[in-house]
Amino acid sequence: MRRVAALLGLALLAGCGDDVQGQLRLLVVPHHQGRNPVQDPFALVERVEVGLTGEDGVFRPLGEGAPLHRFGPGLLSPGAQGAPTLLGYNERGREVSLGFGLPVALRTGQDESRSVALVRLDHAVARPLGPVAGELADPFAGQAPALRLGEQQLESGALDSDDDAGALVWALWGPDGLRLKLRVRDDQVQAAPADQAISAGDGLRVYLDGLADGLAGGADDLVISVGADGRVEPAAGAQAAIVPWAGGYEVSLSLPLPAPAKNGGVGFDVRVWDLDAGGAPSVLTWVFDPRTPGAEPSPAGYGRLVLAPALLDLLPRGQGPSARASLAGRDGLVALDGAWDELGLTLAVDVPDDAVQTAGGGEELTGADRVELWLDLANGLPPALERHRFVRLLASAGGQAVLAAGPAPGAIDTGGVAFTGQVVGAAHAGGYLIEAYLPWADLGLEAGAQRDWFLGLEVLVQDEDPGGAQGAGWSADPARPELWNELRLFDLE
């Protein structure tokens, strides 16, 4: 597989001057399982277009260039916002790959990196529903889209304009299932009459394959139809909500997932139909067979919804800011950052805390505010070639450290494990910062790690306030490595 390089640097201008005020780097993330990529996102790609996708689903281009090369679209005025979007085109000018990153607002003084998951067009990326997001009024706020429907997905009928029909789809996943938000663009929403089928009016259909028996009439395939009038069929197949919005209507769905695991996938498809007055219905389907337009998608022909983890994208020391990550702590957002080189890994955890406790004792450092840094060297796919698959570094706000390792999270110990690195804990006005340096040799990687590796990463923050201890984790379930988030050892050179 060709090495995936940094793809874009956006230079920003302030006002009418000529001084560059900032840069935004987009780091391409391929589909992967275990430590290594399994899909080349640039297969068949001759040209890459870069832009921003707004919450209305409209793509606004910024520039283009050749894949696997750094390029910039020129200087941009600040103020534009949306999800960074990469479109890959083949030699005939057809779109063959698509990727979205977390939304960003271009602003002067900005110098940061954003990870963009780029996959082929019949794949879409579902983001993890973290421990706190599921309790939010809108868990999709600030999340990257999974896929969009537009002219390229037009199976039959015609579109008068970008506002005539289309959709932007967000997908979140977790141990309890799959959540979808589908924002449908429609300039003339027409609901079906109450005495007619849902398909007699505007609506959409979601398809999932590989579900447990007992749903959708006992089949493994779940098909949910939602009308613009709010009807859902079958009513027992999913939790659904339908609300209007300025450009059409919006559908939220909660669906079951059997034994979800990161970087795996489920068969998935989406169809939207639009019945404008006086014309044939327009049908948009994400993945369809052009030889049989209008036919119901079959499980064998569905696309793939990839259950991706959150990612901490680390650059080598001196190459600029990494694509930072965060988790919800007791007293605010905990910031994750770091860097790496041929000798070791640095992880930095900045914890907001209104009463920092620095003194702890025993192998668990009880009594101190502390952070557990867990690494899964096999990244969800056993066996690991190293002598230990799981490594835990326990670090306190006072700078104490305990390293343990073993074959499973519940079977680690400190015996035979040497910590030759360093942990620095420092309290500050709003909390404390822990910087931990782990030599690769301490992890059993005597030959060092390799760039473009993905490693499982869990971060647990233990707050020992006098009013009682409370923990917070980055992943959905600290006891299940198949749900852990990840770090990547990226390199711009």
Side-chain angles (χ1 to χ4, degrees):
M1 175 175 292
R2 294 176 292 177
R3 185 171 129 62
V4 177
L7 198 63
L8 171 68
L10 291 179
L12 308 178
L13 276 180
C16 299
D18 294 329
D19 293 334
V20 176
Q21 298 294 319
Q23 189 175 60
L24 171 66
R25 300 177 185 87
L26 301 183
L27 311 180
V28 177
V29 183
H31 179 43
H32 57 278
Q33 290 185 311
R35 294 200 296 220
N36 300 303
V38 297
Q39 187 183 102
D40 184 353
F42 296 121
L44 305 178
V45 173
E46 295 293 326
R47 176 173 60 89
V48 177
E49 189 171 19
V50 181
L52 300 174
T53 298
E55 291 197 348
D56 55 1
V58 176
F59 172 72
R60 296 167 177 84
L62 298 175
E64 62 180 48
L68 298 178
H69 290 82
R70 298 181 184 86
F71 65 94
L75 300 177
L76 305 171
S77 296
Q81 55 186 312
T85 306
L86 303 179
L87 304 178
Y89 297 90
N90 64 14
E91 60 183 6
R92 298 183 178 181
R94 283 189 59 86
E95 188 179 325
V96 292
S97 60
L98 173 65
F100 296 102
L102 294 177
V104 65
L106 300 182
R107 62 186 186 273
T108 55
Q110 173 176 274
D111 189 12
E112 62 178 299
S113 301
R114 273 286 196 276
S115 302
V116 178
L118 183 63
V119 292
R120 66 193 197 199
L121 276 190
D122 61 350
H123 283 56
V125 176
R127 306 284 173 165
L129 184 64
V132 176
E135 303 174 5
L136 299 177
D138 182 8
F140 298 95
Q143 296 282 358
L147 63 96
R148 63 176 186 165
L149 300 180
E151 185 175 2
Q152 182 161 337
Q153 289 75 37
L154 183 64
E155 189 171 0
S156 61
L159 301 181
D160 295 333
S161 67
D162 287 340
D163 296 327
D164 188 21
L168 191 63
V169 181
W170 289 262
L172 301 175
W173 71 281
D176 297 328
L178 178 68
R179 295 196 190 187
L180 302 172
K181 182 171 78 171
L182 305 96
R183 182 168 289 166
V184 181
R185 294 196 311 276
D186 193 337
D187 54 2
Q188 300 178 43
V189 179
Q190 298 188 43
D195 60 347
Q196 296 185 26
I198 287 177
S199 57
D202 295 337
L204 60 87
R205 194 167 289 137
V206 171
Y207 306 81
L208 274 176
D209 186 31
L211 295 171
D213 289 342
L215 296 171
D220 288 339
D221 186 33
L222 178 61
V223 180
I224 301 292
S225 299
V226 182
D229 60 354
R231 282 186 287 169
V232 180
E233 295 179 355
Q239 299 177 14
I242 301 93
V243 296
W245 69 287
Y249 59 97
E250 189 174 283
V251 175
S252 297
L253 286 170
S254 294
L255 304 173
L257 280 177
K262 67 178 181 181
N263 297 320
V266 294
F268 181 76
D269 214 336
V270 176
R271 169 172 285 178
V272 172
W273 60 89
D274 178 30
L275 282 76
D276 288 343
S282 299
V283 178
L284 295 88
T285 306
W286 179 43
V287 180
F288 65 92
D289 188 342
R291 298 169 298 181
T292 56
E296 279 290 292
S298 66
Y302 291 170
R304 198 77 172 161
L305 188 63
V306 178
L307 308 180
L311 182 65
L312 177 61
D313 235 334
L314 299 184
L315 296 176
R317 306 180 206 286
Q319 283 195 4
S322 298
R324 299 177 178 89
S326 63
L327 63 97
R330 186 175 192 172
D331 297 316
L333 284 180
V334 177
L336 309 180
D337 199 357
W340 69 284
D341 58 24
E342 68 277 6
L343 298 178
L345 170 70
T346 297
L347 292 172
V349 186
D350 195 349
V351 182
D353 193 330
D354 56 9
V356 178
Q357 309 293 320
T358 59
E363 287 193 352
E364 297 301 316
L365 304 182
T366 305
D369 291 321
R370 57 197 183 274
V371 172
E372 294 183 42
L373 300 171
W374 285 86
L375 290 172
D376 176 4
L377 301 183
N379 195 29
L381 286 183
L385 300 178
E386 291 69 41
R387 64 178 181 271
H388 299 297
R389 174 178 170 181
F390 294 95
V391 177
R392 183 192 74 167
L393 178 63
L394 187 60
S396 76
Q400 299 165 288
V402 177
L403 186 68
I412 62 167
D413 59 57
T414 58
V417 180
F419 179 50
T420 64
Q422 183 180 24
V423 168
V424 176
H428 54 70
Y432 64 95
L433 173 66
I434 288 177
E435 290 187 342
Y437 174 68
L438 262 169
W440 296 124
D442 288 3
L443 305 181
L445 297 168
E446 281 77 8
Q450 298 179 21
R451 64 185 186 184
D452 295 332
W453 265 7
F454 295 85
L455 302 177
L457 174 66
E458 172 62 314
V459 180
L460 299 173
V461 177
Q462 185 67 39
D463 188 347
E464 291 278 1
D465 283 351
Q470 182 174 312
W474 187 28
S475 303
D477 189 341
R480 297 173 60 184
E482 72 273 16
L483 302 180
W484 287 5
N485 293 316
E486 295 176 352
L487 65 83
R488 177 172 62 155
L489 307 175
F490 200 70
D491 191 344
L492 297 179
E493 297 180 350

